[in-house]
Amino acid sequence: QKEVEQDPGPLSVPEGAIVSLNCTYSNSAFQYFMWYRQYSRKGPELLMYTYSSGNKEDGRFTAQVDKSSKYISLFIRDSQPSDSATYLCAMAGDMRFGAGTRLTVKP
Amino acid sequence: GAVVSQHPSRVICKSGTSVKIECRSLDFQATTMFWYRQFPKQSLMLMATSNEGSKATYEQGVEKDKFLINHASLTLSTLTVTSAHPEDSSFYICSAREVEAFFGQGTRLTVV
């Protein structure tokens, strides 16, 4: 079993939709969780950094952590075409990534 | 967010030569730096983790004699691809961490 599992998609939604991106992890020792956004041929950009279970909100983005289920989510409200990118989850500590989910927001 | 500078952004080299890629944290001290390789439409593959002043820890299957990593200071790490071959052509990305991890913009290496 991989340490971080993420559905690679692709995921296509209309502009304005709510997007839900998810990852599961196997190592309960993970304490910090991060979401990155990567545009084609660019380095990943840190979107959200969370520690505890629960929700963390930043503008249109909400990160959710459920440590009991080893499940993390990223929600994007009012999605925009500029949100089209690959979204990657990572567990701090060893900085291994999930497969990344390719998101396309259609105008 | 913090800035991580990676150079060069693109490099083309001849087969058999060596290429050095630099990764600098510009406004914070990075106790740990990570090097990744990424193939088209695939996720980031962790190659090695380096802590300042220590030898890098390489992931299984990554040749440490081919991919030389130096982390001599808290703001600089280098990856040298030695005796490069066409199969080493890829997108290489570094990440620097003090608390959160920030990424450089990547280096596209083409070996001809």
Side-chain angles (χ1 to χ4, degrees):
Chain A
Q1 182 188 11
K2 290 184 180 178
E3 287 199 313
V4 181
E5 298 274 4
Q6 184 177 9
D7 185 344
L11 179 63
S12 181
V13 300
E15 184 175 356
I18 296 174
V19 177
S20 173
L21 304 165
N22 309 295
C23 286
T24 58
Y25 61 95
S26 58
N27 189 341
S28 59
F30 289 139
Q31 296 292 320
Y32 300 87
F33 308 91
M34 293 167 285
W35 283 98
Y36 289 86
R37 176 175 62 195
Q38 185 180 24
Y39 293 110
S40 180
R41 303 189 178 191
K42 299 288 186 183
E45 169 194 8
L46 180 64
L47 282 178
M48 301 285 283
Y49 179 86
T50 57
Y51 169 68
S52 58
S53 285
N55 295 349
K56 180 178 180 180
E57 192 172 314
D58 184 1
R60 296 185 295 111
F61 298 90
T62 300
Q64 190 174 78
V65 176
D66 183 346
K67 289 186 178 179
S68 62
S69 301
K70 299 191 186 73
Y71 192 85
I72 66 170
S73 301
L74 178 70
F75 299 97
I76 307 174
R77 291 185 301 280
D78 187 25
S79 56
Q80 304 294 310
S82 58
D83 294 329
S84 298
T86 297
Y87 290 80
L88 301 140
C89 62
M91 314 297 145
D94 65 3
M95 284 297 293
R96 287 186 178 82
F97 284 83
T101 300
R102 292 174 59 197
L103 171 68
T104 301
V105 180
K106 296 184 176 180
Chain B
V3 178
V4 175
S5 176
Q6 184 174 344
H7 291 282
S9 58
R10 290 175 180 268
V11 58
I12 300 173
C13 71
K14 290 185 177 180
S15 186
T17 62
S18 295
V19 174
K20 180 183 284 188
I21 302 169
E22 286 192 354
C23 181
R24 293 180 184 272
S25 56
L26 298 185
D27 52 2
F28 67 101
Q29 292 186 325
T31 52
T32 307
M33 287 191 173
F34 305 87
W35 287 95
Y36 298 84
R37 185 172 181 176
Q38 187 174 35
F39 293 103
K41 298 185 179 181
Q42 294 190 21
S43 188
L44 300 162
M45 184 190 79
L46 180 64
M47 297 175 67
T49 302
S50 73
N51 293 298
E52 183 264 340
S54 303
K55 288 185 178 180
T57 300
Y58 289 81
E59 294 297 299
Q60 191 173 8
V62 178
E63 299 175 59
K64 61 181 180 182
D65 293 331
K66 181 167 188 61
F67 299 100
L68 300 178
I69 291 172
N70 183 282
H71 190 170
S73 77
L74 284 170
T75 60
L76 173 64
S77 177
T78 60
L79 167 68
T80 301
V81 183
T82 63
S83 186
H85 288 91
E87 58 266 29
D88 299 323
S89 299
S90 190
F91 191 54
Y92 293 87
I93 311 176
C94 72
S95 173
R97 182 180 72 188
E98 184 180 34
V99 178
E100 301 116 315
F102 297 93
F103 282 82
Q105 285 302 295
T107 297
R108 185 157 302 281
L109 170 64
T110 303
V111 185
V112 298

